[in-house]
Amino acid sequence: MSYSHSKLETYQNCPRKYKLCYLDRLRPEEEGIEAFLGSCFHETMEKLYSELRFRVMSLEETKAYYESLWKKNFHDKVKIVEEGRTVDDYFRLGLKFIEDYYKHYYPFNQNRILGLELELEIDLYGDSRYLLKGFADRIDLTPDGLIEIHDYKTASQLPPQATADADRQLALYQLGIKQKWPWAEKFRLIWHYVAFDQEISSTRTPEQLDQLRAEIAWLIDKMEADLEFPAQESGLCRWCAYWAYCPLKRHEVELDKLPPKQISGRRGGGSR
Ligand code: SF4
């Protein structure tokens, strides 16, 4: 079985959700609007950078591309969790992200682009026991020979540096790039927190990468030995689309279907 950062993270956050999503392969139609906005932003960046081989898209054209993606892909299962927010609020938020990013990096010629949405395969110890896959948003080569691994984040919180220094995903991609291009020597991991127009960057030592390999191998062993996949309630449940299948949340979905009188006095709070 091949793993990914998302699979590992989902398991760590809630083993039951991991089972429902990746082992039972249940695919709920619901999608959080934050994830939807994130997809539209990522696709727009991919278009902007892939066009660079030929030309620089104008800001208006880039925003129009984002708008066309939004309209084409929007569906009635896109859910808003934040009370009082509208679809238009999120649409305009994405436009602002694009405008800020565009103005910050125009004319986008700082580096040479080596890959967009680049698929990476990671064989942790080179013996095919622990295989992982991932897609890096963008890989750059800087004028001084550094490989930069870029990741776009549309999150509404700017994490502390310690979070970037402990991040698994881009460090894993560094391992994948080293396997794909053994000539690559120096790396920088960069997160674009577009809601704040801020970059956060980090690097990894060989010892940290060895430690990462060991931690991932340990986690995969644990996942493969798990027979229970317990549900693990947390703040992330608000955005989970598996309530109907979850032993901790199923009853709330059932209550939502009852007429108001029957619900009265039975709900303990915390509904979506
Ligand atoms: S609702 Fe929460 S506890 Fe239930 S599967 Fe989703 S994340 Fe896990």
Side-chain angles (χ1 to χ4, degrees):
M1 179 168 182
S2 179
Y3 292 86
S4 65
H5 166 71
S6 298
K7 285 185 182 178
L8 304 184
E9 186 174 64
T10 302
Y11 180 83
Q12 285 180 304
N13 288 333
C14 177
R16 179 56 61 103
K17 182 175 175 184
Y18 167 78
K19 179 178 182 298
L20 293 167
C21 181
Y22 295 111
L23 302 182
D24 301 343
R25 294 182 183 277
L26 294 174
R27 292 282 183 263
E29 295 174 322
E30 273 188 23
E31 179 180 14
I33 195 153
E34 294 88 350
F36 179 77
L37 189 165
S39 300
C40 293
F41 182 87
H42 277 75
E43 275 192 59
T44 306
M45 288 297 110
E46 188 182 358
K47 173 73 174 172
L48 176 67
Y49 280 97
S50 62
E51 282 295 305
L52 276 183
R53 285 194 301 146
F54 308 104
R55 69 197 177 105
V56 179
M57 285 169 70
S58 70
L59 175 57
E60 286 316 308
E61 199 183 351
T62 309
K63 285 160 69 176
Y65 186 80
Y66 163 80
E67 185 171 1
S68 70
L69 280 177
W70 187 285
K71 285 184 178 157
K72 183 175 73 160
N73 296 333
F74 200 83
H75 55 92
D76 61 2
K77 299 292 182 190
V78 175
K79 295 287 174 203
I80 298 177
V81 172
E82 292 286 327
E83 266 180 44
R85 292 290 163 217
T86 65
V87 171
D88 200 45
D89 285 340
Y90 286 92
F91 171 72
R92 283 187 282 106
L93 195 61
L95 274 183
K96 177 83 170 62
F97 294 168
I98 285 167
E99 196 165 323
D100 288 346
Y101 185 94
Y102 190 101
K103 288 178 178 169
H104 189 146
Y105 296 99
Y106 178 85
F108 314 102
N109 60 358
Q110 296 84 0
N111 299 320
R112 189 174 287 273
I113 312 296
L114 299 186
L116 295 171
E117 291 297 322
L118 185 70
E119 184 171 11
L120 295 166
E121 294 184 357
I122 304 106
D123 185 352
L124 268 193
Y125 290 108
D127 58 2
S128 304
R129 165 66 185 97
Y130 301 105
L131 298 173
L132 297 106
K133 275 189 180 178
F135 290 87
D137 289 345
R138 198 178 88 232
I139 310 295
D140 285 4
L141 178 65
T142 70
D144 51 352
L146 204 63
I147 300 278
E148 290 183 342
I149 305 172
H150 291 258
D151 196 49
Y152 308 115
K153 294 287 188 195
T154 52
S156 58
Q157 288 185 351
L158 188 64
Q161 181 65 41
T163 302
D165 292 339
D167 180 88
R168 176 173 54 210
Q169 184 177 20
L170 298 200
L172 196 54
Y173 293 170
Q174 177 173 335
L175 293 175
I177 290 170
K178 185 69 185 167
Q179 286 176 10
K180 191 180 186 78
W181 298 320
W183 49 265
E185 286 297 336
K186 294 181 289 174
F187 292 85
R188 181 158 54 216
L189 318 179
I190 299 178
W191 294 264
H192 297 269
Y193 279 85
V194 296
F196 306 91
D197 196 19
Q198 287 293 325
E199 281 184 13
I200 295 183
S201 68
S202 184
T203 55
R204 294 292 181 275
T205 63
E207 294 73 27
Q208 286 173 319
L209 293 174
D210 286 344
Q211 174 74 18
L212 178 75
R213 282 192 192 87
E215 285 169 8
I216 293 174
W218 176 85
L219 182 57
I220 291 175
D221 286 344
K222 183 169 185 269
M223 291 162 75
E224 292 182 350
D226 196 337
L227 300 175
E228 306 291 332
F229 298 98
Q232 198 164 283
E233 200 165 4
S234 74
L236 296 173
C237 293
R238 286 182 81 197
W239 286 273
C240 178
Y242 292 95
W243 284 35
Y245 307 95
C246 172
L248 302 182
K249 294 292 185 185
R250 185 185 294 140
H251 66 287
E252 295 200 32
V253 177
E254 283 158 10
L255 284 177
D256 279 345
K257 289 179 191 158
L258 296 176
K261 260 191 163 175
Q262 284 175 264
I263 296 176
S264 163
R266 290 177 58 188
R267 186 189 287 278
S271 71
R272 283 193 288 182

